[in-house]
Amino acid sequence: MTTHALRRRLAAAGLAGLLTVLASTGCAFGPPNEEDQGTPPKLPSPSVSSDSDDGGATVQVIAKRLTVPWGIAFLPDGTALVTERDSGRILKLKSSGGSVAKPTTVQTIKESVHDGEGGLLGIAVSPKYKTDKTVFVYYSTADDNRIAKLKLGGTPKPIVTGIPHSSVHNGGALAFGPDGYLYAGTGDGTQTSNAQDKSSLGGKILRMTTDGKPAPGNPFGDSLVYSYGHRNVQGLAWDRGKRLYATEFGQDKWDEVNLIKPGRNYGWPKAEGKSSNSAYTNPLEIFKPSQASCSGAAISGSILVTGCLAGQRVYLMQLDGKGGVLGAPQHTLDKQYGRLRAVVAAPDGTLWVSTSNKDGRGSPIGDDDRILRLVISGGNKVDKS
């Protein structure tokens, strides 16, 4: 497929111009269904400090010198809240016209303990923030991982405790779904048996009320567990049809992107990648860990975007509107910014991506860690579906 033809397909899916930063154009997305093409987002003009070309896609560095930014969530006024894993800080960051912003510290979560991959991880803003002013965080202590709610500047109130903890495999994804309930992705805490044990909160996707109680309709009755058989879930995203997708770190064979359905068993530790055992739900996509280790996930239009640590790239998968994908995944930003972690859809339709070069496994430069802003031209409407 020609570059021009692939550009037209990406434009229909709401990512017009992103092809100009793709590292490879050898595989093209299949044609989307008419009802799944979506409306391209309205995007701001590139700034003079951006890396750009005449194709219209730009990558802007909007924050510098952070310390392992992990989670990103937006307040109703467009201000971003960014967690730093190691320092335990919550930062406020507002970008104006793509200019580099100076983050301000809101507070430090003193209860958070950094150890290996643990620390202050995911963050989510209440859908009713305008009235309840509440934010939710996922963090590690010396003994467990937990979820707490707080008003900015206030003391966190734990609502879920006892999520298995280790120096690795702590999960940390936290996001509100379109149903208004809070979802969390957890890790197995290096005890692989946790993933298949429905009485354990480890190796699961959890669904809860804002008080940390099992949400109505959960598949296992009075339980937070929504799906199980996971190894380490760090990214959650929903499409227009309210379908949930999750990124998952494999061990050494396959990393996964899964379509999450309530009550399903995703196989770990019995299965890694695709399995012939019908008891396990197979992933939508699998990747070699050296090319992936994808953490954050977001959906723009009909494109699922993941940020990858070991792979040092962003993957793009065109969704078919039915819970599947069309064609082969594309990738971009290969090794341009190092390890990539969070990927979040901003209110203006752009994508914010964080680097993770100071996490002990990267090769940081003077400006690391950074927040990148992917600006894609050619749209005329913000996709808020």
Side-chain angles (χ1 to χ4, degrees), residues 106-168:
V106 178
Q107 69 187 96
T108 299
I109 304 299
K110 296 179 181 178
E111 296 83 355
S112 174
V113 176
H114 165 55
D115 175 24
E117 294 177 1
L120 181 58
L121 305 178
I123 187 167
V125 173
S126 168
K128 300 178 181 178
Y129 184 84
K130 288 183 179 180
T131 56
D132 65 23
K133 305 299 181 185
T134 303
V135 170
F136 297 78
V137 290
Y138 185 120
Y139 62 93
S140 309
T141 71
D143 302 312
D144 66 356
N145 289 295
R146 52 184 57 187
I147 299 165
K149 64 181 181 180
L150 69 149
K151 290 178 170 57
L152 291 176
T155 301
K157 176 185 177 182
I159 60 172
V160 176
T161 61
I163 300 170
H165 167 265
S166 180
S167 61
V168 294

Side-chain angles (χ1 to χ4, degrees), residues 148-361:
K149 64 181 181 180
L150 69 149
K151 290 178 170 57
L152 291 176
T155 301
K157 176 185 177 182
I159 60 172
V160 176
T161 61
I163 300 170
H165 167 265
S166 180
S167 61
V168 294
H169 304 183
N170 291 296
L174 198 63
F176 277 92
D179 57 6
Y181 293 109
L182 182 63
Y183 291 72
T186 73
D188 65 13
T190 67
Q191 297 295 320
T192 59
S193 60
N194 286 333
Q196 291 295 319
D197 180 359
K198 291 192 286 292
S199 67
S200 169
L201 298 179
K204 309 292 188 300
I205 291 177
L206 311 177
R207 177 175 176 264
M208 70 199 74
T209 69
T210 53
D211 291 323
K213 305 300 182 184
N218 276 7
F220 302 111
D222 189 25
S223 170
L224 294 172
V225 175
Y226 190 70
S227 63
Y228 67 110
H230 299 289
R231 183 172 182 267
N232 194 18
V233 176
Q234 294 189 359
L236 301 171
W238 287 262
D239 67 11
R240 292 191 190 93
K242 302 180 180 180
R243 287 173 285 260
L244 172 59
Y245 302 82
T247 54
E248 181 162 350
F249 289 81
Q251 184 170 10
D252 50 22
K253 295 180 180 178
W254 298 107
D255 291 334
E256 302 175 1
V257 172
N258 286 297
L259 171 66
I260 302 300
K261 294 186 177 182
R264 294 288 184 90
N265 182 352
Y266 288 82
W268 178 255
K270 301 295 184 182
E272 181 181 355
K274 296 184 177 180
S275 171
S276 60
N277 189 331
S278 61
Y280 308 134
T281 299
N282 276 330
L284 284 182
E285 293 288 348
I286 55 175
F287 304 93
K288 287 293 186 182
S290 62
Q291 299 173 1
S293 296
C294 299
S295 179
I299 292 177
S300 178
S302 61
I303 302 294
L304 173 61
V305 185
T306 65
C308 303
L309 294 163
Q312 299 187 26
R313 65 184 64 180
V314 164
Y315 274 110
L316 303 95
M317 290 151 271
Q318 184 170 336
L319 304 175
D320 66 4
K322 301 175 183 178
V325 294
L326 294 168
Q330 303 293 316
H331 51 91
T332 183
L333 306 186
D334 296 48
K335 301 187 184 303
Q336 293 184 40
Y337 296 94
R339 293 164 61 82
L340 303 178
R341 186 180 294 279
V343 181
V344 180
D348 63 3
T350 62
L351 294 172
W352 286 29
V353 180
S354 72
T355 71
S356 191
N357 294 315
K358 289 183 175 179
D359 64 7
R361 298 183 180 181

